[in-house]
Amino acid sequence: MKFDTPATENPIDQQKVIGKSTDRIDGPLKTTGTAPYAYEHKDIPGNVAYGYIIGSAIPRGRIGGIDTLAAKTAPGVRAVVTYQNAGELDKGDFNTAKLLAGPDIQHYHQAVAVVVADTFEQARSAAELVDVKYIKDQGNYDLSKVKDSAVSPGKTNGQPADTSRGNFDEAFASAPVTLDETYTTPDQSHSMMEPHASIAAWDGDKLSLWTSNQMVEWGRGDVAKTLKISKDNVRLMSPYIGGGFGGKLFVRADAIMAALGAKAAGRPVKIALQRPLIMNNTTHRPATIQRIRIGADESGKITAIGHESWSGDLEGGGPETAVNQTRLLYAGENRMTSMRLAELHLPEGNAMRAPGEAPGLMALEIAIDEMAEKLNMDPVEFRVVNDTQVDPENPERPFSQRQLVKCLRDGAEKFGWNKRNAEPAQMRDGDWLVGMGVAAAIRGAPVQKSAARVRLETDGSVTVETDMTDIGTGSYTIIAQTAAEMMGLPLNMIKVKLGDSSFPVSSGSGGQWGANSSTAGVYAACVKLREKIADKLGYDKGTAEFSGGQIKADDKSAPLIQAVSDKPLEAEDAMEYGDLDKKYALQTFGGHFVEVGVNAYSGEIRIRRMLAMCAAGRILNPKSARSQVIGGMTMAAGAALMEHLAVDKKRGFFVNHDLAGYEVPVHADIPHQDVIFLDEADDKSSPMKAKGVGELGICGVSAAIANAIYNATGVRIRDYPITLDKLIQDMPVAI
Amino acid sequence: MKPFTYQRAETTQDAVRGIKTPGAKFIAGSTNLLDLMKLQIEQPAHLVDISKLPLNKIEDTEEGGLRIGGLVTNTDLAANERIRKEYAVLSRALLAGASGQLRNKASTGGNFLQRTRCPYFYDTNQPCNKRKPGTGCSAIDGYSRSLGIVGVSNDCIATHPSDMAVAMRVLDAVIETTDSEGNTRSIPLEKFYVLPGSKPNVETVLKKDELITAVILPKPVGGTHIYRKVRDRASYAFALISVAAIIFEDGTGRVAMGGVASQPWRVKAADNQLPNGAKAVIAKLLENPKTTEDNKFKVTLAERVLDGVIKEARG
């Protein structure tokens, strides 16, 4: 099915199942510990051995030699695989560095070997006996030092490195009120709860891989390419995922080393990437340096807006696209954006929840707050004045739907924004300085081709099969809701099977495209199944309705089960997209409001309450959508207040590479969150009229926190995370 | 983890005899040693499990104080009625540390012997004089935000992570031990830890065969008890700095600080300055600090936080 004209009324609009707050259909499996995650599959053919990965001890250089003799002869050891005996390997299309190092080392903790043994403890113990000689090269590990050598990265995800309209320089120079500031965001780690984990089993040339991966088809392709085998010989299964956040978009060393280890040992092998390796072995969100310039007239209208961003990556990698939102968020006749990429020899950077917008808004939305203050305007009002209903870089291109102003205005009212004192450091509650902050959020709502197979079973139930993943987002449930709505069945008559490369290829989970795209694919397949049922039972497929387990037309009806008296009826289709997303800017919006307390003595920052007003098209399942948004807000609180991979600029690695050193928020950091969704349906997005919320929730929140801290203290910090050491230098002594 | 032998000691005598085994270590709550063994930072050849020894009582002493068995859990100690009423700083420090699950397992004796949380200590690829003597210190010119500013050496700037020990220091706790010969001794906490100097791998005066059997608290001194732990996130994080203070109505008192040194940090001359305010105390307590770019904020922070503590005590 092709979606190339705006959606008209369709069965989803009934909203009998869709749009209702619905418990996760996979919830009982998870709460009883019976949902098999990648490391936990029991039905593996053969006696499973354990792999333990050895990460490089140097950030850059070469392996001078590897002595594996002692390890190979250690108790229980079945194989030790290094580049010397792994056979020739390629590199996955989605990987920047190779997943098995040698002889070159490209980054710290890059896998140099896997030890396979009968037990995990034996593998770990023997790993210590592998003697790797390293020859170290110099490298660049400090973004600020290599910033000036950065070059244009060319197009990234189809977007140019530079954009401009009007004459920014002239307009900025002549603007009566201007801002020119630099903001920095650090490297961040996804730090999902479930580590990257895989079980690999070979049957002759055929590889079965149970792994934790957001994108089954990308993964299947890259496993095949890396191992230099046919894609047809790879079956990849990822039915349950304990968090990904972009860190599991790509095949990582656990999968490849499990496959290599299993081949060498002649047995299935399971590997969970050790937690202390994850921060340096896998991908991370790259640090940025961002310069923002804004010029406005006295009425508060932006006349010039410029945003430049610098980031670094290994050779062949890409930039953090931190200027994305500035191309779309605010009006302004004269504008420019620019991204520059420097070569760094830290581990490879890549997507993390809302890549681009998350760090970009961390900077832009502080700048907007600063600008509002310069203009002596309320920051909500300043944003409203500069709203735009068209893509400001291409004014002939409207937004499909844009209710940012409503998010901000309604949010301000719900939050009690009028109680904020615009003058900083005026509100106090005991030892705590109290402040409020606001920020706008914008995040793209991309669509991806997605296919599904639906089957009316002989018992009258419907089975959905697609290689879509559920990374904790609730995909199982919204897919079941979609099929239930389309087929006129109750939710408990729908069975959903996900995350298996033997199923039709879906959009996968990433870029907050999963919910809308994967359900649209199920919609397409259901349309086809409805037609088959209508044909079989002699109904007009154009007008037949499906409800209450029946097919209905005019004055007649029949139970669906009649269509499958002899055998199941199956239909498969994909939703593909035309150019609506070119003609219209498809985006999601939010208004974030935060109240913080800053301890007047210590400078400790504690969030007191948060509100998100979201406009994101039709909300398929308000319950799991809310979970997504509060999760995003929590992650943004981490980004604002604590999360940073500390770079050892001399030794070339992320030092705090475990969950003791890399702090993420705990419950005590997040006392109160409210989420409100505007009632929307976007007919340009898909027949589902939905968009996505998984990344919207992290966008803008960190800046709202930063702005609240400024409002509380009068100290403006432009370097994330905002920690007490940065504040107390300038905070007045408490009285 | 290297293979090791294991023995469960039934009596204290058993335990101190078992520890004579080459490469032996005591294990009680397993909240620190086991993690370090998994990372190959500690590699004992033999473990003497002391968790079943009868050292889990809290008893009154003749002097009016308390004798806390070495195996009393952090949870039980924090909840003890006399600790909460008369040594409140200790209860508060304990509850500021770790998590409920860890406190249920962690022992009083073991808490004193926690290893540092310096990130370089945990990465066996990196030089660390504490983990591998003579290899150098990565932290001094590396990432040192959480590390020490007083009592540090050119070979180590690690901090001691305990909250409990900081309160114990301000309470003038005394550690009781017994060794394999059956000798017992009492070690005031101020003499228990040794500065890193050129041997940061040596952290206490304990001999290899010496077991902590109890901690003695002198009789209560009264005053207002405050434990103030400062950290980036609200719970489950080690202190950037912490302050344990007992302040009397006349403004005199005692103060110990965590997160600034390889041991809970207390200076007699600093105590004497309490009536003169935080600035005067810190001038003595953190005299001639040896800071890095990353951790120099701790001096400012310490003064500001102590200022708040003094004001809180004065009401």
Side-chain angles (χ1 to χ4, degrees):
Chain A
M1 184 178 281
K2 187 139 191 193
F3 183 75
D4 49 10
T5 55
T8 51
E9 194 176 340
N10 67 50
I12 296 296
D13 294 323
Q14 302 173 88
Q15 297 207 115
K16 287 180 186 162
V17 194
I18 285 290
K20 299 271 184 290
S21 271
T22 306
D23 289 348
R24 289 165 196 262
I25 60 170
D26 51 328
L29 284 179
K30 291 187 173 168
T31 51
T32 55
T34 47
Y37 286 82
Y39 197 71
E40 297 164 343
H41 284 276
K42 300 280 192 289
D43 53 346
I44 309 299
N47 183 14
V48 181
Y50 292 79
Y52 191 88
I53 291 178
I54 300 171
S56 169
I58 63 164
R60 191 158 190 254
R62 276 167 299 133
I63 297 172
I66 308 181
D67 184 352
T68 60
L69 189 63
K72 275 181 180 155
T73 53
V77 172
R78 299 297 158 191
V80 180
V81 180
T82 71
Y83 83 97
Q84 291 171 334
N85 63 350
E88 202 185 327
L89 298 175
D90 201 344
K91 181 181 75 61
D93 288 335
F94 291 96
N95 300 129
T96 304
K98 296 197 299 180
L99 296 179
L100 174 59
D104 291 344
I105 298 285
Q106 293 168 287
H107 62 85
Y108 195 70
H109 277 172
Q110 188 178 24
V112 295
V114 64
V115 178
V116 177
D118 292 341
T119 69
F120 172 77
E121 288 76 13
Q122 288 170 333
R124 183 173 59 188
S125 177
E128 207 199 352
L129 302 173
V130 175
D131 185 14
V132 185
K133 296 268 181 284
Y134 295 100
I135 302 157
K136 202 170 162 181
D137 285 343
Q138 292 299 307
N140 295 322
Y141 310 108
D142 185 346
L143 177 62
S144 65
K145 283 215 174 112
V146 296
K147 176 177 170 252
D148 292 339
S149 69
V151 297
S152 168
K155 282 197 170 183
T156 306
N157 301 325
Q159 297 296 315
D162 299 276
T163 61
S164 68
R165 182 178 172 81
N167 188 331
F168 170 79
D169 288 335
E170 210 168 84
F172 182 72
S174 62
V177 182
T178 59
L179 167 134
D180 181 354
E181 293 289 355
T182 296
Y183 306 83
T184 54
T185 63
D187 298 286
Q188 295 170 344
S189 170
H190 310 84
S191 289
M192 67 297 281
M193 270 167 64
E194 180 204 27
H196 302 72
S198 298
I199 302 176
W202 291 90
D203 179 7
D205 291 340
K206 293 194 180 298
L207 172 66
S208 292
L209 192 67
W210 292 263
T211 188
S212 185
N213 192 292
Q214 299 172 225
M215 301 293 296
V216 167
E217 184 60 15
W218 291 5
R220 188 168 78 111
D222 264 0
V223 167
K225 183 163 185 263
T226 307
L227 298 175
K228 294 167 110 45
I229 60 176
S230 162
K231 211 168 146 176
D232 296 333
N233 284 340
V234 179
R235 183 174 171 195
L236 196 145
M237 286 152 285
S238 182
Y240 297 102
I241 297 168
F245 310 119
K248 292 174 181 166
L249 287 168
F250 319 113
V251 170
R252 299 302 313 172
D254 57 301
I256 297 303
M257 300 310 276
L260 293 172
K263 186 127 239 177
R267 276 166 64 178
V269 166
K270 61 159 68 179
I271 295 177
L273 197 57
Q274 303 98 275
R275 181 66 68 181
L277 286 187
I278 289 179
M279 278 75 169
N280 286 282
N281 177 278
T282 72
T283 59
H284 65 278
R285 188 201 300 281
T288 65
I289 299 170
Q290 302 178 49
R291 181 188 186 196
I292 295 177
R293 285 174 289 169
I294 304 174
D297 64 23
E298 270 105 359
S299 75
K301 285 255 184 220
I302 293 173
T303 55
I305 183 163
H307 191 161
E308 297 155 86
S309 174
W310 291 262
S311 59
D313 204 355
L314 291 171
E315 189 184 351
E320 179 67 29
T321 57
V323 304
N324 285 352
Q325 69 292 320
T326 310
R327 294 172 175 174
L328 290 163
L329 188 50
Y330 296 112
E333 286 297 306
N334 304 285
R335 44 204 309 132
M336 62 81 67
T337 67
S338 166
M339 290 184 279
R340 292 292 177 265
L341 177 64
E343 188 175 333
L344 278 182
H345 304 111
L346 290 166
E348 72 185 75
N350 214 314
M352 177 167 150
R353 203 173 199 171
E357 281 93 332
L361 285 162
M362 286 168 84
L364 177 65
E365 286 299 284
I366 294 182
I368 291 292
D369 199 64
E370 295 193 70
M371 208 46 203
E373 189 181 35
K374 282 173 188 263
L375 287 156
N376 202 20
M377 281 176 84
D378 181 274
V380 171
E381 217 43 49
F382 179 53
R383 288 174 172 90
V384 170
V385 164
N386 289 290
D387 186 50
T388 172
Q389 290 295 313
V390 296
D391 174 351
E393 288 188 347
N394 305 287
E396 66 285 358
R397 180 179 181 239
F399 287 94
S400 61
Q401 195 167 31
R402 174 170 164 133
Q403 296 203 71
L404 174 62
V405 169
K406 188 168 170 57
C407 288
L408 291 166
R409 286 231 197 275
D410 289 9
E413 193 183 323
K414 295 266 181 206
F415 194 72
W417 182 250
N418 58 2
K419 296 191 183 72
R420 170 180 176 267
N421 190 328
E423 194 184 330
Q426 300 303 307
M427 288 165 69
R428 185 143 173 182
D429 178 3
D431 284 350
W432 295 86
L433 307 169
V434 178
M436 292 188 199
V438 63
I442 184 172
R443 168 67 186 163
V447 283
Q448 299 274 332
K449 180 183 173 185
S450 194
R453 183 158 61 220
V454 288
R455 192 165 53 243
L456 181 60
E457 308 284 4
T458 53
D459 63 0
S461 69
V462 165
T463 302
V464 186
E465 292 173 341
T466 165
D467 82 357
M468 180 60 186
T469 49
D470 187 327
I471 62 174
T473 40
S475 310
Y476 277 101
T477 309
I478 55 170
I479 284 171
Q481 287 174 277
T482 304
E485 194 80 77
M486 290 299 290
M487 302 313 299
L489 289 169
L491 202 62
N492 63 10
M493 291 291 277
I494 312 293
K495 189 173 180 190
V496 181
K497 293 163 117 179
L498 300 182
D500 186 328
S501 64
S502 66
F503 298 153
V505 175
S506 73
S507 62
S509 299
Q512 80 170 7
W513 62 58
N516 183 40
S517 300
S518 70
T519 54
V522 174
Y523 171 96
C526 286
V527 168
K528 219 171 212 180
L529 183 61
R530 286 163 60 114
E531 291 171 358
K532 282 193 173 180
I533 294 168
D535 274 349
K536 184 124 188 196
L537 296 177
Y539 283 68
D540 173 44
K541 57 190 178 192
T543 55
E545 288 178 17
F546 289 70
S547 70
Q550 310 254 320
I551 180 168
K552 296 176 182 170
D554 300 326
D555 52 354
K556 59 174 184 174
S557 67
L560 298 189
I561 201 165
Q562 262 185 28
V564 286
S565 49
D566 47 348
K567 62 176 186 346
L569 209 52
E570 193 172 88
E572 182 175 331
D573 200 3
M575 184 64 75
E576 297 181 69
Y577 295 86
D579 61 355
L580 280 177
D581 60 338
K582 308 280 181 308
K583 287 185 190 154
Y584 298 92
L586 292 174
Q587 298 283 328
T588 62
F589 299 92
H592 287 287
F593 295 82
V594 176
E595 182 179 299
V596 303
V598 179
N599 188 284
Y601 295 98
S602 66
E604 284 163 294
I605 305 153
R606 301 288 182 252
I607 291 171
R608 292 157 68 101
R609 59 193 181 102
M610 312 169 85
L611 166 69
M613 288 291 292
C614 301
R618 172 176 279 145
I619 302 303
L620 303 173
N621 179 359
K623 188 169 188 176
S624 54
R626 178 181 183 276
S627 296
Q628 281 300 295
V629 175
I630 63 174
M633 291 158 79
T634 302
M635 213 166 190
L641 301 177
M642 59 194 83
E643 290 188 43
H644 76 298
L645 288 165
V647 179
D648 187 319
K649 291 166 186 167
K650 185 176 167 193
R651 297 170 189 84
F653 72 112
F654 299 129
V655 181
N656 50 341
H657 53 67
D658 60 30
L659 290 177
Y662 187 85
E663 291 184 10
V664 298
V666 294
H667 284 92
D669 292 300
I670 311 292
H672 186 91
Q673 295 175 316
D674 281 317
V675 181
I676 300 170
F677 295 105
L678 298 187
D679 191 12
E680 282 194 341
D682 190 331
D683 63 2
K684 317 293 191 308
S685 74
S686 84
M688 302 303 295
K689 302 175 186 172
K691 287 176 180 172
V693 295
E695 299 188 336
L696 179 62
I698 196 175
C699 289
V701 182
S702 303
I705 295 167
N707 296 337
I709 293 166
Y710 173 73
N711 183 240
T713 62
V715 181
R716 181 69 78 178
I717 304 297
R718 301 182 183 86
D719 173 40
Y720 289 100
I722 303 174
T723 46
L724 59 86
D725 46 311
K726 297 171 189 173
L727 275 181
I728 55 171
Q729 308 301 333
D730 295 313
M731 261 172 69
V733 173
I735 39 166
Chain B
M1 189 184 280
K2 273 196 173 164
F4 57 89
T5 52
Y6 170 88
Q7 155 195 9
R8 172 173 286 177
E10 302 296 337
T11 64
T12 304
Q13 211 176 13
D14 250 10
V16 289
R17 212 178 287 139
I19 203 70
K20 304 276 277 186
T21 313
K25 273 195 168 285
F26 293 123
I27 188 161
S30 323
T31 58
N32 194 204
L33 180 59
L34 202 55
D35 289 347
L36 295 169
M37 287 168 67
K38 289 176 183 173
L39 294 166
Q40 272 118 15
I41 293 163
E42 296 271 16
Q43 301 191 318
H46 181 70
L47 284 185
V48 181
D49 182 348
I50 57 168
S51 63
K52 301 299 169 196
L53 299 186
L55 299 174
N56 56 359
K57 291 193 185 63
I58 303 174
E59 300 160 310
D60 297 344
T61 63
E62 279 178 18
E63 293 74 25
L66 280 178
R67 183 173 198 278
I68 302 159
L71 290 169
V72 172
T73 68
N74 288 180
T75 298
D76 287 347
L77 185 57
N80 179 274
E81 195 181 342
R82 278 198 68 194
I83 295 288
R84 289 172 60 193
K85 279 185 181 162
E86 299 170 51
Y87 306 92
V89 67
L90 178 56
S91 184
R92 286 169 191 154
L94 283 159
L95 294 176
S99 66
Q101 293 90 333
L102 286 167
R103 293 194 297 267
N104 286 341
K105 292 294 290 176
S107 68
T108 302
N111 193 317
F112 285 111
L113 302 176
Q114 288 181 71
R115 307 303 303 275
T116 184
R117 293 286 165 170
C118 174
Y120 296 96
F121 178 73
Y122 285 82
D123 190 331
T124 49
N125 292 326
Q126 303 301 328
C128 170
N129 287 322
K130 189 183 275 295
R131 176 171 31 79
K132 210 168 176 188
T135 53
C137 174
S138 309
I140 289 172
D141 64 353
Y143 176 61
S144 56
R145 180 169 180 264
S146 66
L147 301 177
I149 56 172
V150 280
V152 296
S153 73
N154 290 330
D155 292 311
C156 186
I157 58 171
T159 45
H160 194 268
S162 172
D163 292 297
M164 182 197 81
V166 184
M168 290 283 197
R169 183 74 181 86
V170 91
L171 289 167
D172 286 334
V174 176
I175 288 174
E176 286 191 351
T177 68
T178 186
D179 69 12
S180 58
E181 306 293 315
N183 301 317
T184 61
R185 63 170 172 157
S186 298
I187 312 166
L189 193 52
E190 64 172 310
K191 302 223 163 84
F192 181 73
Y193 293 105
V194 293
L195 290 173
S198 59
K199 286 184 185 166
N201 55 313
V202 180
E203 296 175 350
T204 71
V205 297
L206 285 181
K207 294 177 293 172
K208 195 193 165 297
D209 65 342
E210 214 170 357
L211 174 70
I212 296 178
T213 50
V215 182
I216 307 296
L217 293 181
K219 73 173 185 194
V221 294
T224 299
H225 287 220
I226 295 173
Y227 189 74
R228 180 78 174 86
K229 181 176 183 179
V230 179
R231 43 189 162 176
D232 292 321
R233 69 176 170 191
S235 177
Y236 204 55
F238 296 98
L240 291 168
I241 65 152
S242 68
V243 175
I246 298 176
I247 298 177
F248 304 108
E249 272 190 30
D250 64 0
T252 64
R254 315 164 169 190
V255 59
M257 199 163 275
V260 293
S262 61
Q263 55 181 270
W265 198 250
R266 187 168 165 206
V267 173
K268 190 82 201 150
D271 282 4
N272 295 338
Q273 291 299 322
L274 266 171
N276 301 323
K279 198 179 180 68
V281 175
I282 296 301
K284 292 291 178 195
L285 189 64
L286 305 180
E287 198 169 15
N288 300 320
K290 194 172 169 187
T291 60
T292 65
E293 194 56 32
D294 285 349
N295 69 19
K296 66 181 184 193
F297 74 93
K298 287 190 176 190
V299 180
T300 313
L301 180 64
E303 185 181 320
R304 294 181 67 118
V305 170
L306 183 61
D307 183 39
V309 166
I310 291 170
K311 282 176 183 154
E312 184 187 333
R314 287 175 185 166

